[in-house]
Amino acid sequence: MEERLILISNDDGIASKGIDTLIRIAQPYGKLVVVAPVNAQSGKSHSVSLTTPIRYEIRHSSKNLEKYVLYGTPVDCVKGALTKILPRKPDLMLSGINHGANSAISVVYSGTMGAAIEASFYGIPSIGLSIITHDLDADFKTIEKTAPALIEKVLEHGLPNQVSLNVNYPVTTPDKFKGFKICTQTKSYWYEDFEETTDRFGNIAYYQRGHLVNMEPENPDCDENALAENYAAIVPVRADFTEYKMINELKNWNL
């Protein structure tokens, strides 16, 4: 029986604590091949490198673990892994663990989920995992204790073609963690606040800042509110932007 093959990537870069934790969680489940950006690529969503060449290099090789760095985006990492590095299509793809929330509308901007969604296009069961803190030394004990059960369920049941799981964890201790909750993506938007500064030439420049606006604060089934109650929120994600309810209405426009 062929050994299970698992692809791992992220958007925080090869040196992040999150990806080291994810490697440790995933090791019991098969041969791991890690292909991650050489440095942080947060907010890159589904971007790809079309005008610059991509290169990768191996950093570690042993019987059950290979680690590569790729000079590109998270989606570049998945594309490079599937076309140049892996001997075959992997049985599972894991992305993360991201330092920072990818719940609500943030999923659209997320490089972590960009990698997971890209893998799902090829029928690979894929999970993106995040914790809602940007602390580089975040405490992953709760995730280490509970994520294996989720991985085992995905390996057992699989996922529909081109569907991935967006999993966000609260910042909590294992004794206060309430478990997993299947959720919808919170209707939300980012309220932008550009912080003015000057560059080294004296020109006015801006840092993009902002905060998430929850448009359904009373909905107990959306991911933002589940996280606030110390649940890990699981949202099944499909990268199909079609608004099916509007198809017939548009046909009635008689264009």
Side-chain angles (χ1 to χ4, degrees):
M1 184 174 180
E2 194 168 22
E3 182 181 25
R4 188 183 290 129
L5 182 62
I6 299 173
L7 172 63
I8 293 178
S9 192
N10 74 348
D11 74 358
D12 286 322
I14 192 71
S16 75
K17 181 178 179 180
I19 201 168
D20 285 342
T21 304
L22 188 54
I23 291 167
R24 195 159 57 248
I25 291 170
Q27 276 184 324
Y29 300 106
K31 168 70 178 287
L32 308 185
V33 179
V34 180
V35 185
V38 69
N39 50 26
Q41 297 285 313
S42 295
K44 289 299 178 73
S45 185
H46 219 91
S47 63
V48 293
S49 301
L50 297 178
T51 60
T52 56
I54 297 167
R55 66 184 179 89
Y56 64 87
E57 57 193 43
I58 192 164
R59 291 288 176 88
H60 173 88
S61 179
S62 58
K63 181 181 178 182
N64 293 313
L65 175 63
E66 293 178 10
K67 294 173 72 173
Y68 298 82
V69 294
L70 186 139
Y71 293 78
T73 69
V75 173
D76 289 336
C77 289
V78 175
K79 289 180 178 292
L82 296 180
T83 58
K84 293 295 181 183
I85 296 173
L86 294 174
R88 62 175 178 86
K89 187 170 81 170
D91 302 291
L92 178 70
M93 191 275 168
L94 302 173
S95 184
I97 301 166
N98 189 65
H99 295 252
N102 283 315
S103 53
I105 199 63
S106 296
V107 67
V108 174
Y109 305 99
S110 168
T112 301
M113 285 306 298
I117 291 168
E118 177 67 23
S120 78
F121 292 163
Y122 303 91
I124 303 164
S126 303
I127 310 171
L129 298 111
S130 306
I131 188 169
I132 61 169
T133 174
H134 292 281
D135 183 357
L136 298 181
D137 192 33
D139 185 347
F140 292 107
K141 290 188 182 71
T142 300
I143 303 180
E144 289 194 69
K145 184 175 180 180
T146 61
L150 174 62
I151 292 171
E152 289 165 13
K153 289 294 185 183
V154 170
L155 289 172
E156 178 184 357
H157 297 286
L159 293 172
N161 191 39
Q162 299 200 338
V163 170
S164 57
L165 299 183
N166 182 21
V167 183
N168 284 272
Y169 273 84
V171 177
T172 189
T173 55
D175 59 306
K176 295 181 180 179
F177 178 64
K178 291 185 178 178
F180 293 110
K181 188 170 186 178
I182 312 306
C183 298
T184 57
Q185 178 185 315
T186 304
K187 294 180 177 65
S188 58
Y189 65 91
W190 277 93
Y191 177 82
E192 308 298 349
D193 181 16
F194 285 78
E195 180 184 316
E196 186 172 310
T197 184
T198 54
D199 65 19
R200 61 194 181 95
F201 302 107
N203 301 311
I204 294 176
Y206 299 90
Y207 287 107
Q208 188 165 304
R209 302 285 188 255
H211 63 270
L212 186 77
V213 178
N214 184 343
M215 299 173 67
E216 44 183 343
E218 304 303 320
N219 180 2
D221 295 321
C222 67
D223 54 3
E224 280 293 303
N225 297 335
L227 286 162
E229 295 294 325
N230 271 352
Y231 289 96
I234 302 177
V235 178
V237 174
R238 181 186 292 279
D240 178 352
F241 293 166
T242 309
E243 178 48 79
Y244 290 96
K245 294 178 181 177
M246 200 172 181
I247 294 291
N248 289 331
E249 180 180 340
L250 288 175
K251 289 178 178 179
N252 290 333
W253 288 7
N254 296 317
L255 294 171

